[in-house]
Amino acid sequence: MKLAQICGTIASDEKRHEAAYTKIMDKLFVIDPDGAVLALADMMRKRITMPSHLMYDGCDDNIYSHLSAVVQRLGVYTAKDYADVLEFLVGRWKVKNLTGLSAEGRRAQDYVCGLVPKIRMLEERASERAKEALTIPFSWIYDRQVKL
């Protein structure tokens, strides 16, 4: 199987996951808006962790954070992308307009609705810090120096 086919298969699989989770949450926000916003806030507080955070190259204990910095700097997947996705979902589920929530649900609503501006502010700061980024060797590309 060629790399392009593998990437296409992975992308298709990810798209199906996205569609399933989005549709499930669509329904949850209709039948139990309080529970749905509490669950969303809980998930966002715990942060979504990619399985690749466990990767290790046998040399660099911080390989995932270093790779993440490179991916962000190159624009492959950025904090802006993350904020855009979250903004889309919060809008789709009309989180800002939910009514009849418990006190805890209203706090969760405020938290979730405040995340996008916070992420965008952090992205701006990260962009400024990226200008002063370190350069380190990546062992899995033969110790080639890569700017974080």
Side-chain angles (χ1 to χ4, degrees):
M1 188 179 266
K2 293 182 181 179
L3 182 59
Q5 291 172 311
I6 294 169
C7 290
T9 300
I10 292 169
S12 296
D13 193 45
E14 287 299 317
K15 185 67 177 169
R16 285 189 293 275
H17 287 143
E18 174 197 350
Y21 294 133
T22 302
K23 288 177 183 177
I24 289 167
M25 289 302 291
D26 286 347
K27 295 297 181 193
L28 286 174
F29 272 104
V30 170
I31 63 173
D32 183 9
D34 199 64
V37 75
L38 287 168
L40 178 59
D42 182 60
M43 183 189 72
M44 296 307 296
R45 281 188 182 101
K46 291 178 180 172
R47 299 202 177 122
I48 299 165
T49 306
M50 301 302 291
S52 56
H53 84 280
L54 298 171
M55 76 177 159
Y56 180 61
D57 66 353
C59 299
D60 184 354
D61 290 334
N62 299 308
I63 189 68
Y64 179 74
S65 62
H66 292 153
L67 179 62
S68 295
V70 171
V71 167
Q72 166 81 20
R73 188 177 58 76
L74 293 175
V76 174
Y77 187 77
T78 67
K80 180 191 178 310
D81 297 320
Y82 186 73
D84 290 347
V85 168
L86 184 58
E87 185 173 49
F88 169 78
L89 292 172
V90 167
R92 176 184 176 124
W93 296 324
K94 300 175 179 73
V95 176
K96 188 175 183 176
N97 302 328
L98 295 175
T99 59
L101 300 174
S102 66
E104 190 179 8
R106 286 191 304 276
R107 284 190 296 275
Q109 179 184 39
D110 290 343
Y111 171 74
V112 169
C113 290
L115 282 175
V116 171
K118 286 180 186 176
I119 294 168
R120 294 201 190 284
M121 183 180 64
L122 291 173
E123 194 274 331
E124 287 176 22
R125 289 181 188 165
S127 293
E128 288 301 314
R129 281 194 310 269
K131 294 174 185 172
E132 303 163 8
L134 300 173
T135 300
I136 66 160
F138 272 63
S139 67
W140 44 276
I141 52 173
Y142 309 106
D143 288 324
R144 180 177 171 201
Q145 295 288 318
V146 178
K147 185 174 182 177
L148 298 181

